[in-house]
Amino acid sequence: MEIKVFTIFPEMFDGPLSASLLGKAREKGILEMEVINFRDYSTDKHRAVDDTPYGGGAGMVLQPFPVVAALRANLDLNEEDLEVILVTPQGAVFDQKAAIELSKKKKLAFICGHYEGFDERIRKFATKEYSIGDYVLTGGELPAMVMIDTICRLVPGVIKEQASFEDDSFYNGLLEYPQYTRPRDFEGMEVPEVLLNGHHEQIRIWRKKESLRRTWQRRPDLLAKYELDKEEEKLLAEVKAEELR
Ligand code: ADE
């Protein structure tokens, strides 16, 4: 996958995109990342990329020219397998489903907004707009990093075991079941017996049931959107009976 980030703070991306799994995936050539400073495309003698808003009001607005010039110089905007993502609190809320879809693309570009806002005409050059949640950060850089990290770990080869994200919270619409490792007894808290017996079918059912219990207790909004199969209906009924006892 090829990712290009357009920002006026390229240095913010140095650490997060080089460390850990993403760094390794870049070394292996699974991911290619480039961070482009759209200030380099300013025609202003002070390299300014913003100006005061028409109609008056506080703050500065990101101008269309440097952003669009940077996009045109670094991307083929007509390319099919390219998604140009505008990072803005006004976008659709980014979730695991969006991450899974975007992880299938060959090329992604992220435009990080900064300042109080950006010229409305920049929107026309994006194919998608995403927010990371209902709160406002100082700019789109951290949200872009959150999205890049979430998407990239789904790209085949970035994580060693493919199965490890298929059990993730949210991957299938439910929260993940509880996990345990050694020791069997930690300060009197014991690992559930079923996980110790090596009976794969029993373990699968226990995990499914605990995943349903967690989601029902903590995120009923997720459960309401989830389509239960017959087995899950039965397990959830058991959970409710146990919890309401
Ligand atoms: N820029 C500022 N806040 C943001 C958010 N919540 N999501 C995406 N971009 C942003």
Side-chain angles (χ1 to χ4, degrees):
M1 177 182 273
E2 197 181 298
I3 297 181
K4 294 189 178 177
V5 182
F6 297 83
T7 169
I8 46 161
F9 294 111
E11 66 283 0
M12 281 181 76
F13 290 83
D14 290 348
L17 300 187
S18 307
S20 181
L21 288 177
L22 296 196
K24 289 210 185 81
R26 290 175 78 181
E27 281 168 21
K28 284 191 273 181
I30 301 168
L31 297 176
E32 268 177 62
M33 294 204 205
E34 200 182 336
V35 183
I36 295 134
N37 189 344
F38 48 72
R39 206 180 277 292
D40 293 342
Y41 296 85
S42 166
T43 49
D44 178 84
K45 64 175 184 292
H46 304 294
R47 305 218 310 152
V49 291
D50 59 348
D51 208 337
T52 53
Y54 276 121
M60 300 290 273
V61 175
L62 195 56
Q63 293 174 288
F65 182 80
V67 176
V68 174
L71 294 177
R72 287 196 175 126
N74 292 280
L75 300 170
D76 172 5
L77 292 172
N78 296 317
E79 187 164 330
E80 277 240 339
D81 218 6
L82 165 71
E83 212 71 81
V84 180
I85 298 154
L86 185 61
V87 182
T88 161
Q90 296 179 4
V93 177
F94 181 76
D95 61 7
Q96 195 68 20
K97 190 160 158 265
I100 293 166
E101 284 314 305
L102 292 170
S103 73
K104 295 172 188 160
K105 293 276 168 186
K106 213 159 77 200
K107 296 186 182 183
L108 298 178
F110 290 84
I111 308 171
C112 305
H114 225 275
Y115 307 103
E116 288 77 4
F118 50 80
D119 188 289
E120 187 65 18
R121 292 164 292 186
I122 291 172
R123 287 217 139 90
K124 204 170 140 289
F125 296 84
T127 56
K128 292 226 155 44
E129 296 187 18
Y130 281 114
S131 159
I132 59 161
D134 294 342
Y135 41 84
V136 180
L137 292 98
T138 53
E141 283 75 15
L142 288 169
M145 285 183 232
V146 167
M147 291 189 247
I148 291 168
D149 189 274
T150 310
I151 294 162
C152 287
R153 68 187 280 284
L154 301 172
V155 172
V158 174
I159 287 185
K160 262 195 234 106
E161 295 170 69
Q162 200 75 355
S164 74
F165 65 72
E166 284 160 11
D167 284 337
D168 283 347
S169 290
F170 311 116
Y171 190 87
N172 57 15
L174 298 174
L175 299 183
E176 196 186 9
Y177 48 80
Q179 294 270 31
Y180 296 88
T181 185
R182 271 177 274 275
R184 264 176 87 150
D185 182 320
F186 177 67
E187 300 188 354
M189 294 178 278
E190 289 191 18
V191 174
E193 196 61 38
V194 62
L195 300 178
L196 307 172
N197 68 15
H199 193 304
H200 296 301
E201 182 56 10
Q202 284 178 15
I203 292 171
R204 183 190 69 77
I205 291 180
W206 182 85
R207 286 182 164 164
K208 174 66 81 172
K209 184 170 173 179
E210 295 315 309
S211 177
L212 288 163
R213 189 190 312 272
R214 277 246 139 130
T215 314
W216 180 62
Q217 288 175 328
R218 298 178 182 212
R219 293 294 305 274
D221 59 313
L222 289 181
L223 199 55
K225 285 188 269 178
Y226 185 80
E227 265 189 58
L228 297 163
D229 63 23
K230 279 270 164 305
E231 179 184 73
E232 290 164 340
E233 271 176 28
K234 179 173 156 282
L235 293 172
L236 183 61
E238 286 175 21
V239 164
K240 288 180 180 172
E242 286 164 20
E243 297 295 332
L244 300 170
R245 223 187 345 240

